[in-house]
C-alpha cells in the first residue's frame, strides 16, 4: 500500500515562506505526477501544482509565481515552497499521487489515487 | 480555467435511498472527470475516475456517468458510512479544478 508522509511547519506569520515535504513509501515513484492540493477551513479543494520524477512542472497560475515544487526522485520525495503567505492561505495542505488517466489533447489527464494525511497550516500574526 | 459546478450543495437522505449528485463543467471536458469522497478531518478518497471507472476497492453501489459537460455520481443504496462530502474534479487541462462539493447528510 502506497503511503505519503507529510513533513513541515504548520504555523507561520504573514509574509513568511511555507515549506512542506512529502515522502513516498512502498510504491513506484517514476510513473506518476506528484501533487499539492490545499483546502481552506470549511471550503473546497484547490490544486496548487504538480511535478513528475523528471522535474516537469505545472503550477496554478492563481499563485502568481509564489510557488515552487521540487522533486528528489532518489529519495522518493517532493516539496512545496510558497512565499509571502497571507492569512487567507490558512488551511490543510495535502500531497497526493497523480495517476495518468489518458491524454486529453491539452495535457496529461490525472486522477489522485493516494493522498497524505494533510498538514494544518495556520498563518497568523 | 474550467469551472466545475455541483448540485445540490447539500443533500438530505435516508439510509437505503438512491442518491444522485450532478457536476457540470463550463466547457466540454470529454470523459476527464473524477469523483472523490471526503469525511471530516480526513483526506479525500478517489471513488470514480474517467467519468465512469470504479477505483479499486470502492463498493459497487457507487457509479458515475456522463460526458462532455454533464456528469452524475450515483449511490444506489445509501449506507451510514456514505454520509460525507463529495467533490468532482476535471482532469482535461491545467489548472486542475474541483467542484465546490456536495454534502450528503442524514435526513
Amino acid at each position: 500500500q502506497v503511503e505519503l508522509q507529510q513533513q513541515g511547519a504548520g504555523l507561520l506569520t504573514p509574509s513568511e515562506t511555507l515549506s512542506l515535504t512529502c515522502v513516498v513509501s512502498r510504491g513506484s515513484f517514476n510513473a506518476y505526477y506528484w501533487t499539492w492540493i490545499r483546502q481552506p477551513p470549511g471550503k473546497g479543494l484547490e490544486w496548487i501544482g504538480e511535478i513528475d520524477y523528471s522535474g516537469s512542472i505545472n503550477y496554478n497560475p492563481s499563485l502568481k509565481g509564489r510557488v515552487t515544487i521540487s522533486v528528489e526522485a532518489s529519495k522518493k520525495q517532493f516539496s512545496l515552497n510558497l512565499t509571502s503567505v497571507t492569512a487567507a492561505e490558512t488551511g490543510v495542505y495535502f500531497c497526493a499521487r497523480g495517476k495518468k488517466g489518458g491524454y486529453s489533447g491539452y495535457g496529461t489527464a490525472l486522477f489522485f489515487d493516494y493522498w497524505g494525511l494533510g498538514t494544518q497550516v495556520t498563518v497568523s500574526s | 480555467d474550467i469551472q466545475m459546478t455541483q448540485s445540490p450543495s447539500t443533500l438530505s437522505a435516508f439510509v437505503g435511498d438512491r442518491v444522485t449528485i450532478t457536476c457540470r463543467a463550463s466547457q466540454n471536458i470529454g470523459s476527464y472527470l473524477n469523483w472523490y469522497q471526503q469525511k471530516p478531518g480526513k483526506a479525500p478518497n478517489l471513488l470514480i475516475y474517467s467519468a465512469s471507472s470504479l477505483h479499486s476497492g470502492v463498493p459497487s453501489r457507487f457509479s458515475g456517468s456522463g460526458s462532455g459537460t454533464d456528469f452524475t455520481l450515483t449511490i444506489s443504496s445509501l449506507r451510514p458510512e456514505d454520509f460525507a462530502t463529495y467533490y468532482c474534479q476535471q482532469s482535461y487541462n491545467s489548472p486542475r479544478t474541483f467542484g465546490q462539493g456536495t454534502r450528503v447528510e442524514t435526513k
Side-chain angles (χ1 to χ4, degrees):
Chain A
Q1 181 81 345
V2 175
E3 287 189 359
L4 282 70
Q5 295 180 303
Q6 299 184 217
Q7 304 166 349
L11 182 59
L12 300 167
T13 56
S15 80
E16 285 190 319
T17 296
L18 166 67
S19 295
L20 298 174
T21 294
C22 188
V23 182
V24 181
S25 58
R26 297 200 210 99
S28 170
F29 192 81
N30 291 354
Y32 302 96
Y33 281 74
W34 302 98
T35 304
W36 291 97
I37 293 164
R38 66 182 180 181
Q39 185 171 37
K43 296 189 177 180
L45 300 161
E46 180 185 26
W47 175 81
I48 296 171
E50 66 202 21
I51 191 167
D52 74 1
Y53 76 98
S54 69
S56 176
I57 299 173
N58 228 347
Y59 295 135
N60 193 325
S62 69
L63 293 169
K64 297 177 183 176
R66 295 188 296 123
V67 61
T68 302
I69 296 176
S70 59
V71 66
E72 286 191 73
S74 61
K75 296 183 179 180
K76 295 177 71 174
Q77 67 182 45
F78 60 107
S79 299
L80 168 69
N81 272 14
L82 182 64
T83 62
S84 304
V85 296
T86 68
E89 296 178 293
T90 291
V92 179
Y93 285 68
F94 296 101
C95 60
R97 187 179 85 169
K99 188 172 182 179
K100 297 174 188 176
Y103 185 79
S104 72
Y106 291 91
T108 301
L110 297 181
F111 53 89
F112 307 117
D113 60 348
Y114 287 96
W115 296 64
L117 296 179
T119 299
Q120 173 64 48
V121 173
T122 302
V123 182
S124 175
S125 55
Chain B
D1 298 4
I2 297 175
Q3 306 302 316
M4 307 301 294
T5 304
Q6 291 181 230
S7 60
S9 296
T10 305
L11 185 159
S12 298
F14 291 110
V15 170
D17 281 354
R18 181 180 181 88
V19 167
T20 298
I21 298 169
T22 296
C23 178
R24 175 163 288 175
S26 61
Q27 67 180 72
N28 188 337
I29 60 170
S31 296
Y32 295 102
L33 189 284
N34 311 310
W35 290 97
Y36 302 84
Q37 177 195 68
Q38 187 179 33
K39 297 182 178 179
K42 302 293 187 181
N45 285 317
L46 176 67
L47 298 174
I48 302 285
Y49 62 94
S50 300
S52 60
S53 295
L54 194 67
H55 181 53
S56 175
V58 175
S60 59
R61 63 181 180 274
F62 292 92
S63 64
S65 64
S67 66
T69 60
D70 294 317
F71 302 85
T72 58
L73 173 70
T74 299
I75 309 172
S76 60
S77 180
L78 196 67
R79 292 180 60 90
E81 59 267 33
D82 300 336
F83 291 104
T85 300
Y86 294 83
Y87 293 94
C88 62
Q89 174 243 327
Q90 65 82 14
S91 58
Y92 182 77
N93 68 5
S94 179
R96 325 283 182 182
T97 48
F98 293 83
Q100 82 280 13
T102 294
R103 182 184 172 211
V104 176
E105 62 178 24
T106 182
K107 185 180 282 187

